Amino acid sequence: MAAALERSERSVLACGEVRTCLLPSFQALDGRAAAQLLRLRADEHVRVSERPTMYALSPEVLTGVDCRLPTSNGSKVRAVGTVVARAALTEGRLLQSTAYFSAPAAGPDVRRPWGQYLVRPGLVEPFGMLPQQATAAGVLRGAGRGELDLGAIAEGLLTELRRHALLDRRVPFKSRPTHLRWVARRQPEGERASLTNFTVAESGLRTMELRLPEDVPAAAAAGLCEDLALHDWLLTTVQQMLDNSRIGAADGPSVVEALHPIVVHLLHLWMPRAHVDPALGHLWDVLEDKPGFSRQWEKLSRRIRDRLALQAVTMPHQALSTR
């Protein structure tokens, strides 16, 4: 009977959403301040690492849910359980919040006592069979009214952190937040994890689909998606800053002023896989092949450095010509 219960609780689908933004603080936080910001629970410590980058990860907090799952075909599937939320801060500068859950292929036909859901953190059980394809597509599309909204949970945590008394609510430059929705289907035992789809949509939305072995926890998938979301935010933000700076048309001190925030605050943050579970690190190879994240970053970095080098050469001549 215990084995049957364990099989019924094995997840076949994991879903999540990551929000990424610039921390509203003029100065980057050090490790101690980052730990203070992300201490979401008094009974657990914030994990802070200094190498290879300063990275702080909050304890996990649970949100109880009893609502319909988002589905693409309109089917009404009630589910009950807990959603995991957590936050991360990279180099004291980039803030992320994540909400995710796992779901089994089928759940009981009656509601369990809340205590039984709380001992299975991050598991959301459907009433009856789970429509896996429709639920995955529904999560990627976004929750409708009355449906489980991972984005709202992640955004709620992000809003709470951005209001923290530690922060002066000033930013060194303007940027836009991004959000990434992801789903991961479980694969047969023995198969490696795979990335099957990654899309970039308008208004800061990205979507990602994964195949995940049974022995890789949903938290590891969330970590991979956080890492991808962070580097996608860097690419998107630097490209937007370059576009707005009129780097090809402007000249003189205005070029240095426009590029200064990129050089000081962002260029050193590029470090894919630094905090990704080793079982999933190889999935970055897919992103490096197409769309070629690091190639895009190197191209942008060279463009910035070349423009600053050219400006350094021409500025003395410009100063002489104005005398």
Side-chain angles (χ1 to χ4, degrees):
M1 185 171 181
L5 181 60
E6 182 182 351
R7 285 194 299 272
S8 70
E9 293 174 353
R10 288 179 183 171
S11 68
V12 295
L13 185 68
C15 307
E17 185 158 338
V18 185
R19 301 290 172 107
T20 305
C21 71
L22 185 67
L23 186 74
S25 173
F26 193 77
Q27 298 292 334
L29 301 189
D30 60 18
R32 177 178 294 183
Q36 187 177 347
L37 174 72
L38 299 185
R39 195 178 183 194
L40 304 182
R41 293 172 52 175
D43 60 335
E44 285 194 33
H45 292 292
V46 175
R47 291 162 48 195
V48 179
S49 61
E50 300 288 344
R51 303 288 185 274
T53 58
M54 201 284 281
Y55 176 76
L57 183 65
S58 78
E60 295 179 339
V61 292
L62 301 180
T63 299
V65 296
D66 182 348
C67 56
R68 299 197 315 274
L69 292 174
T71 57
S72 60
N73 59 6
S75 58
K76 299 187 184 333
V77 182
R78 181 185 171 191
V80 184
T82 57
V83 172
V84 173
R86 69 186 192 187
L89 186 66
T90 301
E91 284 294 328
R93 180 60 72 191
L94 296 188
L95 180 64
Q96 295 181 286
S97 65
T98 302
Y100 67 92
F101 71 91
S102 296
D109 294 327
V110 295
R111 196 179 185 282
R112 304 177 192 260
W114 263 118
Q116 295 188 32
Y117 295 109
L118 292 175
V119 296
R120 301 172 178 86
L123 189 72
V124 174
E125 292 182 330
F127 280 36
M129 299 298 296
L130 175 74
Q132 296 180 40
Q133 183 65 33
T135 301
V139 168
L140 295 178
R141 176 208 64 195
R145 186 174 181 179
E147 295 177 339
L148 175 53
D149 192 342
L150 293 173
I153 296 174
E155 186 63 31
L157 177 55
L158 201 65
T159 299
E160 176 186 342
L161 292 172
R162 287 188 292 198
R163 292 174 178 168
H164 198 284
L166 272 175
L167 308 179
D168 58 21
R169 294 169 184 79
R170 298 167 58 209
V171 292
F173 57 90
K174 293 182 179 179
S175 64
R176 299 175 184 173
T178 60
H179 52 288
L180 182 148
R181 295 176 187 147
W182 59 270
V183 297
R185 296 179 178 85
R186 293 294 181 178
Q187 294 200 126
E189 188 175 351
E191 294 191 21
R192 294 183 80 196
S194 60
L195 193 160
T196 58
N197 193 32
F198 174 71
T199 64
V200 177
E202 295 181 357
S203 68
L205 173 65
R206 285 85 172 100
T207 61
M208 190 158 95
E209 297 178 67
L210 304 165
R211 295 282 184 177
L212 207 62
E214 288 187 356
D215 60 343
V216 176
L224 169 71
C225 294
E226 288 162 351
D227 194 55
L228 168 62
L230 183 143
H231 290 85
D232 173 77
W233 184 94
L234 285 171
L235 271 175
T236 302
T237 301
V238 170
Q239 184 64 67
Q240 289 173 347
M241 292 173 73
L242 287 177
D243 292 343
N244 294 336
S245 71
R246 300 175 62 248
I247 188 174
D251 203 359
S254 62
V255 172
V256 177
E257 183 180 352
L259 298 181
H260 181 266
I262 301 176
V263 176
V264 172
H265 301 292
L266 300 182
L267 283 188
H268 64 289
L269 298 183
W270 191 265
M271 199 168 293
R273 290 181 256 222
H275 304 284
V276 174
D277 189 295
L280 301 178
H282 67 279
L283 297 183
W284 256 103
D285 295 336
V286 180
L287 298 167
E288 299 292 31
D289 180 47
K290 186 178 180 181
F293 269 43
S294 289
R295 291 198 305 273
Q296 294 178 43
W297 183 256
E298 286 301 320
K299 180 180 178 181
L300 291 174
S301 300
R302 282 198 303 271
R303 185 182 175 196
I304 292 166
R305 292 189 177 104
D306 290 348
R307 191 66 179 88
L308 288 174
L310 178 62
Q311 191 61 36
V313 171
T314 58
M315 280 185 71
H317 297 287
Q318 292 172 353
L320 286 172
S321 65
T322 58
R323 289 179 182 176

